[in-house]
Amino acid sequence: MVMHSEVRNTYKREHLVMNETPDKTAKVIELTRLETYIVKEVYCARCEEWQEIDSRSFITNILCPICCTNWE
């Protein structure tokens, strides 16, 4: 039986994002940068499903993104 807020998998994911403040004095202007974040698969007992949450969103570290149940 799976418990509420149990973590099944944790892995890193990389995402290309636009660099909002490029350094114009540099020889090479970087318009994009690679951002790495942590993704977890967490079980929600209320939804009865595995939810994928990532470290970019503060609120999903506390609440389920579907039903807003607290992970604790």
Side-chain angles (χ1 to χ4, degrees):
M1 174 109 185
V2 182
M3 300 295 291
H4 181 73
S5 74
E6 182 177 327
V7 178
R8 179 169 61 180
N9 289 327
T10 302
Y11 49 92
K12 290 183 182 179
R13 195 179 275 173
E14 294 180 336
H15 184 69
L16 197 61
V17 294
M18 190 168 176
N19 195 0
E20 296 174 2
T21 57
D23 184 11
K24 295 180 181 174
T25 61
K27 291 182 181 179
V28 177
I29 298 175
E30 296 180 9
L31 299 177
T32 58
R33 60 184 164 81
L34 194 60
E35 185 177 273
T36 303
Y37 56 95
I38 307 295
V39 177
K40 294 180 184 177
E41 292 178 8
V42 183
Y43 185 75
C44 179
R46 185 170 181 193
C47 297
E48 297 181 349
E49 291 183 5
W50 290 95
Q51 305 297 333
E52 191 173 274
I53 62 172
D54 63 49
S55 60
R56 294 179 297 173
S57 176
F58 172 73
I59 196 70
T60 57
N61 290 331
I62 300 170
L63 303 173
C64 173
I66 305 298
C67 67
C68 296
T69 302
N70 193 334
W71 291 123
E72 296 179 23

